Amino acid sequence: AMENIQLRGIATNATCVGATIPTPQTFGAFFKVKTILKEKYQLPCEIVSGGNSSAYYLVDNQILPEEINNLRLGDVILFGRESAYYHCYDYLHQDAFILDVEILELQDKPTYPVGEIGRNAFGEIPTFEDHGIRRRAICGLGRQDTDTDHIFPLVPGLTIVGSSSDHLVIDVTDAEAAYQVGDIISLRCDYVGALHAATSAYVDKIVY
């Protein structure tokens, strides 16, 4: 009844909250809406959008229902993987989002904290294994900038040990390079890591 609005189509989504993987069978109710719009309200749907990157495996296996003519593919295009089973595609890049962090401090430190262990700044009770003295870099990035569980060092031999609000601790003992204060460590971001870093006011964004 709204004269200034034209309905071009309908869209559905899966996995983002409920983690339900879309299958050809699960689109039944969605297609019923399309039929009702056309037959009851004379509103043909030009666009029938069947979901996000979690539905791309249907394309890959050639079982996407023919009624669907649109998918909203962020994960596949930007991160080179579908999001239902996390299958990566060799012909796409998984490292399009790189987060560079600067080493602020470099020290040989014990891997097991001295004293009684309680809760950290985030209310968590961390666990530690004693691997002796290791070379650790403190970098200028923390949980206020991104989800540090979703960033991964590009250089072999580097291991993320932990993070505070504004610092990231990386074990550099096994790296081939001899890191110095002021050096840059590059980290690959997955979807969650890139999401947080891209919306942080403290992270500079550079597009190449």
Side-chain angles (χ1 to χ4, degrees), residues 112-195:
Y112 197 89
V114 177
E116 182 182 356
I117 296 175
R119 297 185 183 275
N120 62 17
F122 303 95
E124 305 159 344
I125 302 177
T127 58
F128 301 93
E129 293 184 10
D130 192 349
H131 296 289
I133 303 297
R134 303 279 292 180
R135 190 77 166 163
R136 288 185 166 182
I138 299 179
C139 304
L141 174 128
R143 295 200 205 181
Q144 68 181 8
D145 307 302
T146 190
D147 188 327
T148 52
D149 289 331
H150 293 267
I151 54 178
F152 312 93
L154 288 179
V155 175
L158 302 185
T159 304
I160 294 177
V161 176
S163 59
S164 65
S165 300
D166 52 357
H167 290 94
L168 181 71
V169 181
I170 300 179
D171 188 317
V172 301
T173 310
D174 298 328
E176 291 185 1
Y179 283 100
Q180 304 293 328
V181 171
D183 285 349
I184 300 297
I185 293 177
S186 295
L187 307 157
R188 177 180 63 82
C189 300
D190 67 8
Y191 171 80
V192 175
L195 169 68

Side-chain angles (χ1 to χ4, degrees), residues 18-174:
T20 304
I21 294 176
T23 67
Q25 293 71 35
T26 59
F27 287 106
F30 180 54
F31 295 147
K32 188 178 293 185
V33 172
K34 175 179 178 290
T35 301
I36 291 173
L37 287 171
K38 181 178 181 180
E39 295 180 355
K40 185 175 181 179
Y41 298 103
Q42 290 74 53
L43 292 171
C45 293
E46 173 190 346
I47 299 172
V48 182
S49 186
N52 58 19
S53 293
S54 66
Y56 187 73
Y57 87 96
L58 299 171
V59 177
D60 201 36
N61 291 288
Q62 299 181 347
I63 55 174
L64 184 74
E66 60 182 11
E67 294 93 337
I68 294 173
N69 58 19
N70 177 275
L71 291 176
R72 306 179 303 281
L73 304 178
D75 226 338
V76 169
I77 294 173
L78 299 175
F79 300 95
R81 71 177 186 190
E82 54 81 27
S83 55
Y85 299 100
Y86 273 18
H87 173 72
C88 294
Y89 298 98
D90 294 338
Y91 54 87
L92 296 173
H93 291 279
Q94 280 81 53
D95 58 354
F97 289 81
I98 302 299
L99 187 58
D100 288 337
V101 297
E102 182 181 359
I103 297 177
L104 307 179
E105 182 181 318
L106 204 58
Q107 297 285 343
D108 292 333
K109 305 282 285 186
T111 51
Y112 197 89
V114 177
E116 182 182 356
I117 296 175
R119 297 185 183 275
N120 62 17
F122 303 95
E124 305 159 344
I125 302 177
T127 58
F128 301 93
E129 293 184 10
D130 192 349
H131 296 289
I133 303 297
R134 303 279 292 180
R135 190 77 166 163
R136 288 185 166 182
I138 299 179
C139 304
L141 174 128
R143 295 200 205 181
Q144 68 181 8
D145 307 302
T146 190
D147 188 327
T148 52
D149 289 331
H150 293 267
I151 54 178
F152 312 93
L154 288 179
V155 175
L158 302 185
T159 304
I160 294 177
V161 176
S163 59
S164 65
S165 300
D166 52 357
H167 290 94
L168 181 71
V169 181
I170 300 179
D171 188 317
V172 301
T173 310
D174 298 328

